[in-house]
């Protein structure tokens, strides 16, 4: 992100998923085994989150190496004591879910991994995680606040969306009522 030669500064992105868990959950649901269904979904979600955590660690310590001496405890990880951030689409730092489409195109996610996006831009399988990774040591999580109609119009124009569609995707952070 920084101009070449002005320090170690990286931007990346990833998508990970647990395949097969949805089918097992459906099987348990058909057997009226709610406990096993919930456990299957929970375990798949935890596995995907663990993969995302490990991938982010490998980026910091090995691939980009900007934190090669990192030695964090699990508690440190939960307290986000590492350098850099990995905001996910739909979360406060990156509230626009439509940016998943950009990520999918750039990474060729569906082609290379099989992770799909639904019409509502949900990731399939359900136990999937995607995020941007900002490696700069001063990067911190933040929340995008409420935005005004002038900002939404500008953003929609830059993305090539019409205003009503952009308002639909950004509705949780609008500071006005949609027409």
């Amino acid at each position: 992100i920084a101009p070449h030669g002005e320090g170690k500064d990286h931007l990346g992105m990833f998508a990970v998923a647990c395949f097969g868990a949805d089918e097992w959950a459906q099987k348990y649901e058909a057997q009226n085994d709610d406990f096993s269904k919930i456990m299957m979904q929970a375990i798949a979600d935890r596995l995907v989150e663990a993969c995302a955590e490990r991938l982010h660690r490998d980026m910091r310590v090995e691939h980009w190496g900007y934190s090669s001496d990192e030695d964090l405890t699990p508690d440190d990880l939960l307290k986000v004591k590492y350098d850099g951030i990995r905001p996910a689409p739909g979360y406060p730092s990156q509230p626009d879910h439509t940016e998943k489409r950009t990520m999918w195109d750039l990474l060729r996610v569906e082609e290379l991994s099989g992770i799909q996006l639904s019409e509502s831009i949900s990731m399939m399988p359900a136990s999937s995680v995607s995020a941007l990774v900002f490696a700069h040591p001063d990067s911190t999580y933040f929340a995008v606040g409420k935005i005004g109609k002038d900002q939404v119009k500008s953003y929609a124009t830059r993305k090539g969306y019409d205003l009503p569609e952009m308002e639909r995707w950004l509705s949780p952070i609008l500071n006005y009522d949609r027409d």
Side-chain angles (χ1 to χ4, degrees), residues 52-71:
E53 191 67 54
R54 180 58 190 235
L55 179 57
H56 190 201
R57 181 218 169 266
D58 289 351
M59 290 170 137
R60 294 190 308 270
V61 174
E62 296 173 17
H63 303 298
W64 294 340
Y66 67 92
S67 289
S68 58
D69 59 347
E70 179 178 292
D71 185 27

Side-chain angles (χ1 to χ4, degrees), residues 20-144:
D22 290 343
E23 292 78 11
W24 277 98
Q26 289 171 356
K27 175 185 158 196
Y28 291 131
E29 184 174 32
Q31 297 170 354
N32 294 316
D33 186 351
D34 291 339
F35 177 79
S36 294
K37 174 190 171 191
I38 291 167
M39 290 303 295
M40 177 57 65
Q41 292 168 326
I43 291 168
D45 288 346
R46 297 300 72 78
L47 284 171
V48 169
E49 291 293 343
C51 285
E53 191 67 54
R54 180 58 190 235
L55 179 57
H56 190 201
R57 181 218 169 266
D58 289 351
M59 290 170 137
R60 294 190 308 270
V61 174
E62 296 173 17
H63 303 298
W64 294 340
Y66 67 92
S67 289
S68 58
D69 59 347
E70 179 178 292
D71 185 27
L72 300 175
T73 67
D75 194 46
D76 291 337
L77 292 173
L78 291 172
K79 293 178 181 175
V80 192
K81 290 190 174 184
Y82 48 77
D83 288 337
I85 60 172
R86 64 168 196 267
Y91 282 83
S93 294
Q94 190 187 354
D96 181 6
H97 279 280
T98 68
E99 286 304 307
K100 279 187 226 162
R101 292 179 181 142
T102 304
M103 293 170 64
W104 257 239
D105 291 344
L106 289 171
L107 292 175
R108 300 179 12 230
V109 172
E110 186 170 351
E111 174 189 339
L112 296 175
S113 72
I115 306 169
Q116 300 176 336
L117 294 176
S118 70
E119 282 187 27
S120 63
I121 314 181
S122 294
M123 295 178 283
M124 300 177 297
S127 295
S128 299
V129 172
S130 65
L132 297 175
V133 180
F134 294 86
H136 194 279
D138 294 332
S139 55
T140 58
Y141 286 102
F142 59 92
V144 174

